[in-house]
Amino acid sequence: MENVKRFDGKIAIVTGAGSGIGLATATQLIAGGARVVGADMSKDRLTAAAESLGKDFIPIAVDISAHDGPARVAAAASGPYDILINNAGIMDGFVPLTELEDATWEKVLSINATSMMRLTRQVLPGMIKAGHGAIVNLSSEASLRAICAGIAYSVSKHMVNGITKHIAAVYTQDGIRCNAVAPGGVSTNVGGEFLSDLSKERIAPVMSATFRGHMATPQQIADLICFLADDKAASNVNGAIIPCDNGWSVM
Ligand SMILES: NC(=O)c1ccc[n+]([C@@H]2O[C@H](COP(=O)([O-])OP(=O)(O)OC[C@H]3O[C@@H](n4cnc5c(N)ncnc54)[C@H](O)[C@@H]3O)[C@@H](O)[C@H]2O)c1
């Protein structure tokens, strides 16, 4: 039993696996013994990830918000999948309601929330049939309060929390656990520029007064994601939205 790793024999999907939190999570899952389907829309990032992660990383270049995106991700390996990490997401430039364009709203909600629902709908029946599955969704501090993003991102992450709670409540009796991680600031490529003067004036000062400059590493977020993905360590954790922000949410 000595060399048994916590994810030995498991097969996982990680979306947005080419960068930041997704790449750190795929790295930890593979180090723990899993095979990982890594989905990302950036071919270059996937190529670099595949070179460093080796044969247990199965790259799939795909836009998860495309009509056939979720089906292509699910078909990249033969399931049923044990673990689904719904991680891919984009920011919204901190644009407030009065400056919001429909295209921004539709794109952010489509990638951050609708794609999560559609990919999970694709993967969940296999998990239910197998009698187990661990799903971890990437939420955000912006799902807990209103001062961390623009309206589209904030609403999309509130939707993530709703998706998470629904799955946890309805499918717990099928052996499914679904939890969400709500990071504060993390050093990644997601981009945090303010495209709005109103937000610079009204959001930025509140953020800097409470945030105190603590940027997490992607590995710190991946540590929590992998804890939640571990059926042994987190066997009784289901439907939780867990901040991972060094206390920012209570400031
Ligand atoms: N970085 C932060 O401060 C922070 C804070 C809270 C929550 N989050 C969330 O963490 C998650 C991961 O973000 P990150 O910070 O690692 O960002 P990142 O930009 O470093 O990585 C995200 C990856 O997702 C990919 N991606 C984006 N849209 C895609 C699509 N439609 N189809 C396929 N791939 C797509 C990108 O190519 C990129 O490689 C996101 O859901 C983000 O909202 C990040």
Side-chain angles (χ1 to χ4, degrees), residues 15-23 39-42 45 62-66 86-91 111-112 115 138-142 153 157 181-191 215 218:
T15 64
S19 171
I21 296 165
L23 178 59
D40 205 292
M41 63 193 300
S42 164
R45 287 178 180 172
V62 63
D63 176 351
I64 55 156
S65 67
N86 282 309
N87 165 76
I90 56 167
M91 261 299 270
I111 294 172
N112 291 6
S115 301
L138 262 291
S139 185
S140 165
E141 191 84 15
Y153 186 86
K157 294 300 185 179
V181 171
V186 191
S187 300
T188 69
N189 293 309
V190 79
M215 290 299 277

Side-chain angles (χ1 to χ4, degrees), residues 42-90:
S42 164
K43 280 186 189 154
D44 291 348
R45 287 178 180 172
L46 279 180
T47 304
E51 271 167 21
S52 74
L53 294 178
K55 64 171 177 40
D56 289 325
F57 184 74
I58 304 154
I60 166 116
V62 63
D63 176 351
I64 55 156
S65 67
H67 181 69
D68 63 350
R72 288 185 54 213
V73 174
S78 50
Y81 290 95
D82 303 289
I83 296 166
L84 170 60
I85 313 295
N86 282 309
N87 165 76
I90 56 167

Side-chain angles (χ1 to χ4, degrees), residues 11-199:
I11 175 120
I13 293 173
V14 178
T15 64
S19 171
I21 296 165
L23 178 59
T25 303
T27 304
Q28 290 196 17
L29 287 169
I30 288 170
R35 286 170 64 227
V36 172
V37 169
D40 205 292
M41 63 193 300
S42 164
K43 280 186 189 154
D44 291 348
R45 287 178 180 172
L46 279 180
T47 304
E51 271 167 21
S52 74
L53 294 178
K55 64 171 177 40
D56 289 325
F57 184 74
I58 304 154
I60 166 116
V62 63
D63 176 351
I64 55 156
S65 67
H67 181 69
D68 63 350
R72 288 185 54 213
V73 174
S78 50
Y81 290 95
D82 303 289
I83 296 166
L84 170 60
I85 313 295
N86 282 309
N87 165 76
I90 56 167
M91 261 299 270
D92 66 353
F94 290 84
V95 174
L97 178 60
T98 45
E99 296 165 27
L100 180 71
E101 291 178 6
D102 285 354
T104 303
W105 175 261
E106 280 154 21
K107 185 173 179 190
V108 172
L109 264 64
S110 167
I111 294 172
N112 291 6
T114 307
S115 301
M116 176 179 291
M117 176 280 290
R118 293 185 68 233
L119 178 57
T120 309
R121 187 175 60 187
Q122 185 84 36
V123 169
L124 192 54
M127 290 179 160
I128 291 170
K129 211 169 166 192
H132 70 96
I135 302 166
V136 184
N137 296 330
L138 262 291
S139 185
S140 165
E141 191 84 15
S143 76
L144 307 175
R145 53 206 178 124
I147 55 91
C148 309
I151 184 167
Y153 186 86
S154 185
V155 167
S156 75
K157 294 300 185 179
H158 280 73
M159 288 171 75
V160 169
N161 294 1
I163 292 168
T164 303
K165 290 177 192 175
H166 173 87
I167 295 166
V170 176
Y171 301 103
T172 180
Q173 62 205 73
D174 297 304
I176 308 300
R177 293 182 305 104
C178 182
N179 295 288
V181 171
V186 191
S187 300
T188 69
N189 293 309
V190 79
E193 54 283 324
F194 281 73
L195 301 181
S196 155
D197 287 340
L198 187 70
S199 292

